Amino acid sequence: MTAHSELRLLPWSGPDGKPCYLSTDDDSSHLSRLADTTEAIQLGLADNLVKHAVNVLDDEAVDPEELRELSADLVGALRDALRVATSRGQRLVTPQLPARGGDASP
């Protein structure tokens, strides 16, 4: 099976929270482009959230409710980033190493 014919983990979940997958040989299909755009948005939001978190954590007078909300937002962003990383990692082409002969030396 080639990298293009394998299922792609999409950057969103189904109604039951289960992962959604795409089967296509066309990386430029409408759904593939939508997934690429969604991944970029999710990573951009995560980057902004991390910057916001740094500022909030620097504030010694931060409200505990704001910390809880920030924690929940960070968990969601981390979940999205992990899904993106998993999807992209599954689509990497793994180079085939040449078979080594009977020589045991490095």
Side-chain angles (χ1 to χ4, degrees):
M1 210 180 251
T2 67
H4 292 290
S5 63
E6 294 184 20
L7 296 177
R8 175 184 177 170
L9 177 64
L10 293 172
W12 52 79
S13 298
D16 299 334
K18 294 181 181 178
C20 292
Y21 294 91
L22 171 64
S23 176
T24 183
D25 288 335
D26 183 3
D27 289 339
S28 63
S29 71
H30 175 71
L31 196 52
S32 291
R33 290 191 323 269
L34 179 61
D36 291 341
T37 300
T38 301
E39 286 180 353
I41 290 168
Q42 288 172 330
L43 294 176
L45 290 172
D47 183 54
N48 290 338
L49 185 58
V50 167
K51 291 172 184 169
H52 173 67
V54 169
N55 290 332
V56 169
L57 294 174
D58 283 343
D59 181 1
E60 293 180 16
V62 67
D63 177 40
E65 183 59 33
E66 186 176 357
L67 285 176
R68 278 191 285 281
E69 184 178 322
L70 176 62
S71 296
D73 291 344
L74 286 168
V75 167
L78 180 57
R79 185 179 295 121
D80 289 345
L82 288 172
R83 187 180 295 120
V84 170
T86 299
S87 177
R88 290 182 180 183
Q90 289 172 346
R91 290 181 282 140
L92 290 176
V93 176
T94 306
Q96 296 295 324
L97 297 175
R100 293 187 74 177
D103 184 7
S105 64

